[in-house]
Amino acid sequence: MLPCKRAGGGEAVVLEVAGPIRSPEASIKKHKITDLPPIASATTATTAANTGNVRSAEKSAASNSNNSNGADSSIMGLGNGNPSDIDEDLHSRQLAVYGRETMRRLFASNILISGMQGLGAEIAKNLILAGVKSVTLHDEGVVELWDLSSNFIFSEDDVGKNRALASIQKLQELNNAVAISALTTELTKEKLSDFQAVVFTDISLEKAVEFDDYCHNHQPPIAFIKSEVRGLFGNIFCDFGPEFTVFDVDGEEPHTGIIASISNDNPPLISCVDDERIEFQDGDLVVFSEVHGMTELNDGKPRKVKNARPYSFSIDEDTTNYSAYEKGGIVTQVKQPKIINFKPLREALKDPGDFLLSDFSKFDRPPVLHLAFQALDKFIQELGRFPVAGSEEDAQKIISLFTNINDNLADERVEEIDHKLLCHFAFGARAVLNPMAAMFGGIVGQEVVKACSGKFHPLLQFFYFDSVESLPSEPLDPRDLQPLNSRYDAQISVFGSKLQKKLEEAKVFVVGSGALGCEFLKNLALMGVSCGNQGKLTITDDDVIEKSNLSRQFLFRDWNIGQAKSTVAASAAALINPHLNTEALQIRANPETENVFNDTFWENLNVVVNALDNVNARLYIDQRCLYFQKPLLESGTLGAKCNTQMVIPHLTENYGASRDPPEKQAPMCTVHSFPHNIDHCLTWARSEFEGLLEKTPAEVNAYLTSPTEYASAMKNAGDAQARDNLDRVLECLDKERCETFQDCITWARLRFEDYFADRVKQLTFTFPENATTSNGTPFWSAPKRFPRPLQFSVDDLSHLQFLMAASILRAETYGIPIPDWVKSPVKLADAVNKVIVPDFQPKENVKIETDEKATSMSTGSIDDAVVINELLQKLEKCQKQLPTG
């Protein structure tokens, strides 16, 4: 978790649980591509943890594929399991981030979670949603009223029941594909051999050392994770064995560059085109391909990068006697596995090494907390209980134990003991707070994914976190910390009953009820927010539940598919806490709905929580909060990364005060004729989709509805856009008109030929491979890539998939029934073979735009007015020949 400056100067908190981020400035503030269960859980916890601050003062998308480079499927003792096929409709978002191989390893993993208080419940929820093979819940204790402030599974009816047994049914509803079982008796270390990863959330240090020794020395090693949440303090310890292999340290696509030149030197200087920065770092390994001239580099041998700069680098090689570089070439990063040597807990307690920092303003805090948690363990072992909230005697006992441990250290001794901090630690030690449990549950869940898959760099090895700044600014009266025999007693023991009352009477607006929204509702319900007589939580979302939502939006079930998200989420949150006062709306918050979300509505709010997935909606809510001076809690997710931003009136900048730098737009000619990266191809595909399946039908319907008015509008416009619109309408109603599904297949087949063969043939006819520019340099110089036409084949599955998708979409456009046989490759191939594809002959003197500054692909020398009149005349004739209706 890194406090970082966003582009534009605004400070946000970025939680990154996937390994090192190479570019902290990478924009995740404004985008939301993918959300994963652990990430959503950790993000919302960080945001929800600040709700207390706001109230007491009254005052935040790529697709990553798996790059395992031949990862061994037996990692972490997974054996040769044969998991069932991945349900892509359910797990599409995870597939985009984790990759198929990682998902398969995850689906073959058996996990033990010991300790089913709030933290254990959060970890279990995240892993079950992620889709591990099995989760075994272990707890020997029973549900107490105290647990209800942090555990979303339990209700008052569960008080007195075994925690593990009481958890099974509700957790099973999250994912029926995961086998969930319970253990209610004392755990033995031999039992741990049944699992690939074991997680302990409530265990003594003595027992933890014993279990970790067993896991560390087991063959293969068993991933051991110990985590605790004690009030506003928490920690995680990870041990994945003496030699753990990380196959992909960051989950990012390998970086690539397009070569512009290579020198014959020792070492050689490789320059890349200045189209975009290269992201290589010294020590990276790269391979070369498609290099003309200096073909010695095309041998596939990895070479080490040195002297890396934004647009150039050198390699550790002598190219003095190599052939001279001519043109072309791609350089691609080779991702290397990394071996990590974990120390067992027994050693790590004495020699913890470097702590993972979450807040650079608390640089000296982790060593203190490292000893504080050991002192708490000794306190519990000696007295058989936790310190009492507000008890100075118990706090002094903790300080005394801390001092003894510190005095016995040979090195790394804490020089200054913060007595006030240790008092806060002692007072809240018994409490498991929901925001802390949710945050740590998200991080631990992701560590389990890393342990079972070898993807992303794991936590090495201790992580300590505290949020003492969440406490009320005024000193707390110990009497205000006493339990009231309510479900909020754990929270009261930390924040006091006065703040709890404020939370209960709060009026909150939650905008969005997707993955983040579901987590927010759960957190707010458990905290008692808007649960008083005067409290009210308004949630709005105009979306409905889809199957893919179920893998991360945990308040929804399969029987809710098609229902309104906000309504279902509000009902589910009310089951977590029956006292929650909610109003669920299916209205988008925007200028058009200000009659609903009017001035009175905004003036009555205490805090606004964003759970949105687009920039425009965030900016609108931000502006309303700014105008009405309301606190805004903003967050967002991007794969395995996320961010939160607290906007407090008169204290912090608002969300819209800083903007991400605009994304670089590729020139039109590059997208349509000279693409050289996948982004260009995606931009082209999206443009074609919108033109063929959105804009064209809309233009056709506009014409058919009122031909005279439409024709007049096009004449008045008299520009290239009007000409293109008329051309599309004429094609759609005349030579490309579809009346049967076979017509749609014919259209799709001809479209394939046009896109991937004819256009390429015309391009290479106009600009042959040996073409030169006006100054004599090769036309096909980097970054341009000389294209090759595709030869259609029904035996190529990707070709058939294109035709199937295109023909179905075309049929839906025309309202033509779609036959079931279209998804049969054999039957579809038979239908495609009936299509007659005319031979293509390249044309002379065809103008192909090469000017990168051009904003249109249309030829500028055409008289638009003349062409528009000709097209309107043809359209009039065509309309008369259309079938009735």
Side-chain angles (χ1 to χ4, degrees):
M1 187 155 52
L2 307 169
C4 69
K5 289 286 184 181
R6 295 189 316 256
E11 186 170 298
V13 175
V14 178
L15 178 64
E16 187 274 321
V17 292
I21 303 179
R22 289 202 172 205
S23 303
E25 71 277 9
S27 168
I28 66 174
K29 171 189 171 190
K30 306 293 188 186
H31 302 284
K32 176 185 173 190
I33 296 179
T34 305
D35 34 36
L36 307 174
I39 310 305
S41 177
T43 311
T44 56
T46 308
T47 307
N50 287 275
T51 307
N53 278 345
V54 174
R55 290 294 297 127
S56 63
E58 289 296 332
K59 304 256 199 222
S60 133
S63 321
N64 297 333
S65 60
N66 183 278
N67 300 302
S68 297
N69 297 321
D72 183 359
S73 62
S74 64
I75 179 172
M76 293 306 299
L78 297 185
N80 296 314
N82 184 26
S84 58
D85 290 340
I86 299 170
D87 186 340
E88 297 190 14
D89 290 337
L90 180 63
H91 293 291
S92 57
R93 300 295 186 91
Q94 284 178 233
L95 273 169
V97 176
Y98 291 152
R100 195 170 297 275
E101 189 58 35
T102 296
M103 291 287 288
R104 288 199 179 101
R105 293 196 192 108
L106 198 59
F107 286 1
S109 301
N110 302 298
I111 313 298
L112 169 71
I113 301 172
S114 178
M116 286 306 296
Q117 294 176 315
L119 176 56
E122 292 288 340
I123 298 168
K125 174 202 67 182
N126 293 331
L127 293 175
I128 291 167
L129 288 172
V132 295
K133 182 178 181 180
S134 74
V135 172
T136 299
L137 313 173
H138 170 255
D139 202 309
E140 298 171 49
V142 296
V143 178
E144 302 175 23
L145 189 62
W146 181 274
D147 295 325
L148 269 57
S149 66
S150 66
N151 192 313
F152 68 92
I153 301 172
F154 302 147
S155 67
E156 293 185 14
D157 293 338
D158 294 316
V159 173
K161 299 178 183 177
N162 176 271
R163 290 195 190 103
L165 292 175
S167 302
I168 290 181
Q169 181 180 348
K170 289 182 181 177
L171 288 176
Q172 188 68 75
E173 290 178 0
L174 298 175
N175 191 342
N176 286 324
V178 178
I180 304 175
S181 58
L183 286 174
T184 61
T185 56
E186 185 176 357
L187 199 62
T188 62
K189 61 184 180 182
E190 289 76 19
K191 181 65 178 174
L192 304 184
S193 61
D194 295 338
F195 307 99
Q196 280 72 51
V198 294
V199 181
F200 293 90
T201 68
D202 188 15
I203 188 175
S204 68
L205 270 179
E206 181 183 9
K207 202 69 175 176
V209 167
E210 177 190 349
F211 284 170
D212 178 62
D213 283 345
Y214 179 84
C215 293
H216 188 87
N217 297 316
H218 191 272
Q219 291 300 324
I222 303 164
F224 177 93
I225 300 175
K226 177 184 179 293
S227 182
E228 293 176 90
V229 167
R230 303 299 179 198
L232 290 169
F233 301 79
N235 73 71
I236 302 173
F237 169 79
C238 294
D239 174 11
F240 295 169
E243 291 188 346
F244 178 76
T245 302
V246 183
F247 295 102
D248 184 353
V249 295
D250 59 8
E252 304 289 344
E253 287 282 356
H255 299 298
T256 63
I258 300 174
I259 297 170
S261 66
I262 307 175
S263 66
N264 291 85
D265 285 313
N266 183 18
L269 177 67
I270 296 96
S271 297
C272 294
V273 297
D274 59 3
D275 183 69
E276 54 190 49
R277 294 168 61 99
I278 55 175
E279 299 291 342
F280 299 146
Q281 294 184 356
D282 287 1
D284 283 355
L285 295 179
V286 295
V287 293
F288 294 83
S289 60
E290 304 179 31
V291 176
H292 291 250
M294 197 179 288
T295 55
E296 293 90 340
L297 293 178
N298 292 334
D299 57 7
K301 170 187 171 185
R303 291 168 166 88
K304 184 175 291 188
V305 170
K306 60 182 185 180
N307 303 325
R309 292 182 174 84
Y311 301 101
S312 67
F313 63 95
S314 298
I315 55 173
D316 194 10
E317 188 154 349
D318 184 357
T319 62
T320 305
N321 297 319
Y322 286 8
S323 306
Y325 172 81
E326 295 175 5
K327 65 175 183 177
I330 304 293
V331 57
T332 307
Q333 176 192 21
V334 178
K335 306 195 80 169
Q336 294 293 301
K338 179 179 180 180
I339 305 297
I340 298 179
N341 308 117
F342 285 88
K343 290 184 288 191
L345 180 59
R346 184 185 302 276
E347 295 178 18
L349 283 170
K350 300 174 185 175
D351 182 18
D354 295 330
F355 297 99
L356 175 64
L357 280 176
S358 64
D359 186 342
F360 292 111
S361 69
K362 300 177 179 180
F363 189 82
D364 57 350
R365 191 65 57 80
V368 175
L369 298 184
H370 185 64
L371 301 185
F373 275 96
Q374 294 180 52
L376 176 62
D377 180 75
K378 286 186 178 294
F379 183 101
I380 296 171
Q381 298 310 310
E382 289 183 13
L383 301 181
R385 61 172 177 85
F386 284 96
V388 174
S391 170
E392 287 292 339
E393 182 181 349
D394 285 355
Q396 290 304 315
K397 176 70 173 176
I398 288 287
I399 293 172
S400 174
L401 292 168
F402 179 99
T403 303
N404 290 337
I405 297 171
N406 189 46
D407 290 344
N408 289 325
L409 291 177
D411 301 307
E412 306 297 333
R413 185 177 300 165
V414 175
E415 297 300 330
E416 294 185 14
I417 300 177
D418 188 335
H419 287 231
K420 184 178 180 181
L421 180 74
L422 292 177
C423 283
H424 287 318
F425 178 77
F427 290 168
R430 186 190 168 200
V432 178
L433 301 178
N434 163 256
M436 293 289 291
M439 172 186 159
F440 275 85
I443 300 174
V444 172
Q446 191 71 359
E447 292 305 310
V448 173
V449 171
K450 297 174 188 179
C452 295
S453 67
K455 185 159 188 172
F456 301 125
H457 198 292
L459 194 162
L460 192 67
Q461 292 185 255
F462 281 104
F463 171 61
Y464 289 97
F465 176 84
D466 74 85
S467 186
V468 290
E469 57 273 15
S470 297
L471 288 170
S473 55
E474 67 277 4
L476 288 169
D477 186 332
R479 291 172 296 181
D480 197 33
L481 304 177
Q482 299 308 306
L484 303 176
N485 195 33
S486 79
R487 61 180 296 144
Y488 312 119
D489 278 351
Q491 198 159 274
I492 290 171
S493 73
V494 175
F495 295 107
S497 58
K498 292 178 182 177
L499 177 57
Q500 184 61 43
K501 183 65 175 176
K502 288 184 179 181
L503 291 174
E504 291 176 29
E505 301 304 328
K507 294 176 177 61
V508 181
F509 186 26
V510 178
V511 192
S513 56
L516 292 176
C518 284
E519 291 284 341
F520 283 139
L521 281 177
K522 174 257 296 176
N523 295 348
L524 295 171
L526 288 171
M527 293 167 64
V529 176
S530 302
C531 292
N533 294 331
Q534 303 301 315
K536 183 179 179 181
L537 188 152
T538 303
I539 180 166
T540 189
D541 195 314
D542 66 343
D543 202 1
V544 296
I545 298 165
E546 302 173 1
K547 184 177 180 180
S548 64
N549 301 149
L550 304 181
S551 66
R552 62 200 185 281
Q553 299 174 19
F554 84 104
L555 295 181
F556 307 146
R557 304 291 180 263
D558 52 7
W559 56 82
N560 297 132
I561 292 174
Q563 299 175 15
K565 283 186 175 181
S566 59
T567 304
V568 175
S571 298
L575 293 176
I576 294 174
N577 188 342
H579 303 291
L580 181 66
N581 301 315
T582 62
E583 180 181 11
L585 303 174
Q586 293 83 51
I587 304 171
R588 184 170 298 188
N590 58 25
E592 287 72 42
T593 58
E594 289 181 4
N595 61 318
V596 178
F597 305 115
N598 53 28
D599 289 5
T600 303
F601 172 83
W602 283 95
E603 288 166 355
N604 287 332
L605 294 175
N606 297 115
V607 63
V608 179
V609 182
N610 267 355
L612 292 162
D613 61 358
N614 68 88
V615 177
N616 290 336
R618 285 184 166 108
L619 288 172
Y620 173 75
I621 297 298
D622 176 63
Q623 287 301 310
R624 300 301 281 171
C625 289
L626 188 65
Y627 181 82
F628 289 100
Q629 300 187 47
K630 300 300 178 182
L632 171 65
L633 309 185
E634 164 60 36
S635 58
T637 62
L638 177 69
K641 306 181 185 81
C642 58
N643 80 295
T644 64
Q645 179 184 359
M646 307 302 119
V647 180
I648 312 298
H650 312 296
L651 184 63
T652 70
E653 71 168 10
N654 64 302
Y655 173 80
S658 63
R659 301 290 181 93
D660 290 340
E663 295 183 8
K664 185 178 179 181
Q665 297 293 321
M668 290 293 293
C669 65
T670 299
V671 170
H672 286 269
S673 300
F674 310 109
H676 57 262
N677 63 40
I678 190 63
D679 290 337
H680 297 157
C681 301
L682 289 168
T683 301
W684 170 82
R686 177 63 185 266
S687 173
E688 291 296 315
F689 182 97
E690 289 180 350
L692 289 171
L693 299 163
E694 293 181 26
K695 293 179 182 177
T696 297
E699 292 293 328
V700 171
N701 289 335
Y703 171 74
L704 292 175
T705 301
S706 182
T708 303
E709 291 181 9
Y710 185 85
S712 177
M714 293 300 105
K715 282 183 179 180
N716 290 337
D719 56 9
Q721 184 63 58
R723 186 190 73 217
D724 291 344
N725 288 345
L726 286 169
D727 199 33
R728 287 177 181 272
V729 172
L730 183 60
E731 281 192 344
C732 194
L733 293 178
D734 188 14
K735 61 182 180 180
E736 292 189 355
R737 187 172 78 242
C738 296
E739 297 179 4
T740 67
F741 192 75
Q742 182 63 43
D743 291 341
C744 298
I745 290 177
T746 300
W747 176 86
R749 175 66 183 88
L750 296 178
R751 188 61 57 182
F752 180 99
E753 201 70 16
D754 176 46
Y755 284 154
F756 309 120
D758 296 351
R759 293 190 191 186
V760 177
K761 291 174 184 177
Q762 182 64 60
L763 181 64
T764 55
F765 178 82
T766 304
F767 301 109
E769 193 167 7
N770 60 355
T772 59
T773 63
S774 57
N775 60 12
T777 59
F779 178 83
W780 293 102
S781 298
K784 293 187 181 75
R785 296 168 62 84
F786 187 76
R788 310 286 179 186
L790 293 183
Q791 178 65 47
F792 178 81
S793 171
V794 293
D795 297 324
D796 190 314
L797 187 59
S798 64
H799 295 186
L800 271 188
Q801 286 173 335
F802 174 90
L803 260 64
M804 180 183 72
S807 58
I808 289 175
L809 290 169
R810 186 70 168 179
E812 289 179 347
T813 300
Y814 278 90
I816 296 171
I818 300 169
D820 293 337
W821 54 259
V822 70
K823 294 186 179 180
S824 166
V826 175
K827 293 182 179 179
L828 179 59
D830 289 341
V832 171
N833 286 331
K834 296 176 183 177
V835 179
I836 299 174
V837 179
D839 293 334
F840 176 77
Q841 293 297 326
K843 299 175 183 178
E844 299 282 353
N845 302 318
V846 170
K847 167 70 174 173
I848 297 177
E849 187 62 72
T850 60
D851 183 2
E852 293 191 353
K853 296 180 180 179
T855 58
S856 170
M857 297 303 291
S858 302
T859 305
S861 60
I862 295 176
D863 188 332
D864 291 323
V866 173
V867 175
I868 286 172
N869 283 329
E870 292 176 356
L871 289 171
L872 286 171
Q873 291 173 11
K874 292 179 181 179
L875 259 179
E876 191 175 348
K877 292 179 182 178
C878 178
Q879 186 195 14
K880 296 176 182 178
Q881 299 172 3
L882 289 176
T884 303

